[in-house]
Structure formats: C-alpha cells, structure tokens
Amino acid sequence: MNLARPPFRSPIERYILYVMTKLLEKALQAVRQLSPDSQDEIAHAMLNLAGNEDELEEVDPVHLADVLESLAQAKRREFATDAEVEAAFRRFDR
C-alpha cells in the first residue's frame, strides 16, 4: 500500500493545470468536428510533440529526393542563414 502524498502544487500551479486542461479540452472539441483523416493527422502531431510517437512518418515518394538532399545538407552542416530564413518568412506576410 502506497501512502505517499501527491506532490504539493501551489495555487498558481493548480490554476495553470486547470487552464491547460480546459484549453486542451477546447482544442479536442474542435478536432472532433473534423474528418477522421484530419483527426488522425492532428493526433500524430500531438503524439510527436509529446515525444510519444513510436511509428515513423512516411515520406511521399514524390518528396523523397528532397528529403534525402535535406538530410545530406544537415549532415554537412549546411543551414540557411538568418537572412535567408527571415526572407522566407516575409513571403508569408504578403
């Protein structure tokens, strides 16, 4: 029989947990309205973000060459400069 007390949580910690739980519930309600395929995509993303994704992401054969080239560039430590990244993000502002 485990008689250990649960860890003490300050009022702020309890509030944050309550708000996060409510926010997650709100997000899940929105996701429930989506198609099963969209729900699965979001579920995979959530599991990946939480570090619980066990299965590998499939690469569309159309994009395989680009993915392999990107991995090779990363291995060679060839990354975009800050200016290049900023320019790419600016294209979305239009």
Side-chain angles (χ1 to χ4, degrees), residues 12-27:
I12 292 173
E13 288 174 311
R14 288 194 307 267
Y15 175 75
I16 290 171
L17 289 172
Y18 171 80
V19 171
M20 288 176 62
T21 301
K22 290 294 184 184
L23 183 58
L24 182 58
E25 183 57 37
K26 184 177 180 180

Side-chain angles (χ1 to χ4, degrees), residues 17-19 22 25-26 32 36 38-39 44 46 48 55 59 61-62 65 70-71 74 76-77 84 89 92:
L17 289 172
Y18 171 80
V19 171
K22 290 294 184 184
E25 183 57 37
K26 184 177 180 180
R32 286 184 183 106
S38 293
Q39 290 182 24
H44 284 292
M46 290 174 65
N48 188 23
E55 60 187 67
V59 176
V62 172
S70 297
L71 290 171
R76 294 188 304 264
R77 308 208 39 84
E84 291 169 328
F89 278 116
F92 292 106

Side-chain angles (χ1 to χ4, degrees), residues 13-90:
E13 288 174 311
R14 288 194 307 267
Y15 175 75
I16 290 171
L17 289 172
Y18 171 80
V19 171
M20 288 176 62
T21 301
K22 290 294 184 184
L23 183 58
L24 182 58
E25 183 57 37
K26 184 177 180 180
L28 292 175
Q29 288 294 337
V31 170
R32 286 184 183 106
Q33 306 303 312
L34 302 175
S35 70
D37 286 343
S38 293
Q39 290 182 24
D40 284 348
E41 285 183 40
I42 292 170
H44 284 292
M46 290 174 65
L47 289 169
N48 188 23
L49 288 170
N52 295 328
E53 182 71 46
D54 290 332
E55 60 187 67
L56 296 175
E57 186 79 22
E58 280 190 43
V59 176
D60 186 327
V62 172
H63 304 293
L64 183 58
D66 291 330
V67 170
L68 292 174
E69 175 57 27
S70 297
L71 290 171
Q73 288 173 345
K75 190 173 185 176
R76 294 188 304 264
R77 308 208 39 84
E78 295 175 0
F79 301 105
T81 65
D82 290 345
E84 291 169 328
V85 171
E86 189 175 319
F89 278 116
R90 268 189 301 221

